[in-house]
């Protein structure tokens, strides 16, 4: 009887150890399985994100101009980010759309400024390029046409206020999110001020110590900034 009891006890102990081993195996396998499913989910979400981006880009192509494409993408990227913010989403998905929004804002800024200041912007970019190449010895000293400069100075002096007012109306009508629109307006007007400052720098370089007669028509950047503040409340 004693041997039978001992044998039964030993068998029960072996079964208990076996059950414990099985439980341990299941426990160890669990996280690995969940990790695999998690990886698949992350991969699916990443694919969904890229598919969404590509869909928006395809839909943007329906619009006829680069400016309209940017407006469409800005509104949609901003809407996605607003939803992320409401749902407290954080991570690379948010960063991805934030980067796309920033890129499209920069493109829109340049497109919007071309509407009223295209000649001055083209002059600044071309002349700065000539200065850079001349400094590098790639071409002779930059030659600036005084009549062209004078025309640009007077054109800006007579139209800059009206063009800023037009920019303000455009931006506020293009973007459904007021906060987003105000940030873009600030960006557009700040870029305009930078372009005009660069334009004045070119004039100073060309006419060192001998300001031309049309210099009196140059608009002070302080005056421009004061006007900008009337529209861009956050500046």
């Amino acid at each position: 009887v004693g041997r039978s009891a001992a044998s039964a006890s030993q068998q029960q102990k072996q079964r208990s150890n076996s059950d414990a081993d099985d439980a341990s195996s299941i426990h160890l396998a669990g996280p690995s399985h969940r990790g695999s499913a998690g990886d698949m989910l992350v991969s699916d979400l990443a694919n969904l994100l890229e598919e969404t981006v590509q869909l928006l880009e395809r839909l943007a192509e329906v619009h006829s101009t680069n400016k309209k494409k940017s407006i469409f993408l800005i509104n949609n990227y901003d809407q996605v980010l607003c939803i992320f913010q409401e749902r407290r989403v954080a991570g690379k998905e948010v960063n991805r759309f934030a980067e796309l929004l920033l890129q499209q804002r920069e493109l829109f800024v340049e497109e919007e400024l071309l509407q009223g200041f295209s000649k001055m912007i083209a002059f600044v970019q071309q002349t700065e390029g000539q200065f850079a190449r001349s400094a590098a010895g790639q071409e002779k000293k930059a030659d600036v046409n005084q009549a062209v400069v004078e025309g640009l100075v007077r054109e800006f002096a007579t139209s800059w206020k009206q063009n800023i007012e037009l920019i303000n109306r455009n931006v506020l009508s293009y973007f459904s999110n007021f906060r987003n629109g105000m940030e873009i307006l600030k960006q557009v007007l700040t870029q305009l001020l930078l372009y005009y400052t660069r334009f004045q720098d070119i004039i100073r370089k060309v006419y060192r110590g001998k300001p031309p007669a049309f210099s009196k028509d140059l608009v002070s950047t302080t005056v421009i900034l004061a006007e900008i503040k009337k529209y861009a409340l956050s500046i």
Side-chain angles (χ1 to χ4, degrees):
V1 174
R3 285 196 299 271
S4 297
S7 177
S9 175
Q10 185 175 4
Q11 290 175 0
Q12 184 177 2
K13 184 176 180 181
Q14 289 174 347
R15 284 197 299 271
S16 297
N17 290 338
S18 177
D19 291 343
D21 290 341
D22 291 343
S24 177
S25 298
I26 293 171
H27 178 72
L28 291 173
S32 176
H33 176 72
R34 288 196 299 272
S36 176
D39 290 343
M40 291 176 63
L41 179 59
V42 169
S43 177
D44 289 343
L45 288 174
N47 290 335
L48 178 60
L49 184 148
E50 291 306 319
E51 288 292 337
T52 302
V53 170
Q54 291 173 19
L55 173 61
L56 291 174
E57 290 175 347
R58 288 197 300 271
L59 291 173
E61 290 300 318
V62 174
H63 298 280
S64 57
T65 65
N66 290 334
K67 182 176 174 180
K68 290 180 179 179
K69 291 174 186 177
S70 288
I71 292 169
F72 172 83
L73 290 172
I74 287 170
N75 278 320
N76 280 277
Y77 293 155
D78 179 66
Q79 184 63 35
V80 171
L81 287 169
C82 286
I83 293 172
F84 282 166
Q85 185 176 15
E86 290 172 2
R87 304 296 172 85
R88 298 181 181 179
V89 176
K92 62 182 181 181
E93 295 83 6
V94 176
N95 295 336
R96 177 84 165 103
F97 277 99
E99 289 172 1
L100 290 169
L101 178 60
L102 180 60
Q103 291 171 8
Q104 289 302 322
R105 279 181 175 178
E106 291 175 352
L107 292 174
F108 172 81
V109 165
E110 296 299 327
E111 290 291 333
E112 182 64 22
L113 287 176
L114 289 177
Q115 183 170 341
F117 304 98
S118 59
K119 293 180 182 178
M120 181 189 71
I121 291 172
F123 174 82
V124 167
Q125 293 173 340
Q126 292 170 7
T127 307
E128 286 179 342
Q130 290 176 352
F131 284 161
R133 290 189 295 273
S134 177
Q138 297 174 356
E139 63 178 55
K140 63 181 182 179
K141 185 178 179 181
D143 184 24
V144 175
N145 187 316
Q146 181 167 326
V148 171
V149 178
E150 182 176 359
L152 291 172
V153 168
R154 290 185 173 154
E155 180 180 342
F156 185 91
T158 58
S159 64
W160 70 276
K161 282 189 178 182
Q162 297 93 316
N163 282 324
I164 286 180
E165 183 179 353
L166 179 60
I167 289 171
N168 177 68
R169 288 201 306 268
N170 286 345
V171 170
L172 294 182
S173 67
Y174 292 152
F175 304 108
S176 54
N177 182 341
F178 179 77
R179 177 190 54 78
N180 181 47
M182 289 304 297
E183 290 177 359
I184 293 172
L185 177 62
K186 173 183 176 180
Q187 196 171 344
V188 174
L189 297 181
T190 300
Q191 184 67 4
L192 170 61
L193 185 61
L194 290 174
Y195 270 126
Y196 193 65
T197 300
R198 288 158 62 184
F199 178 60
Q200 290 183 327
D201 288 342
I202 289 172
I203 293 175
R204 280 192 287 269
K205 286 180 181 178
V206 173
Y207 302 99
R208 290 179 181 175
K210 296 180 180 180
F214 58 78
S215 292
K216 60 181 174 47
D217 294 319
L218 287 169
V219 182
S220 167
T221 53
T222 303
V223 173
I224 297 174
L225 184 58
E227 187 71 15
I228 286 175
K229 286 182 178 180
K230 296 178 183 178
Y231 297 98
L233 302 177
S234 58
I235 293 181

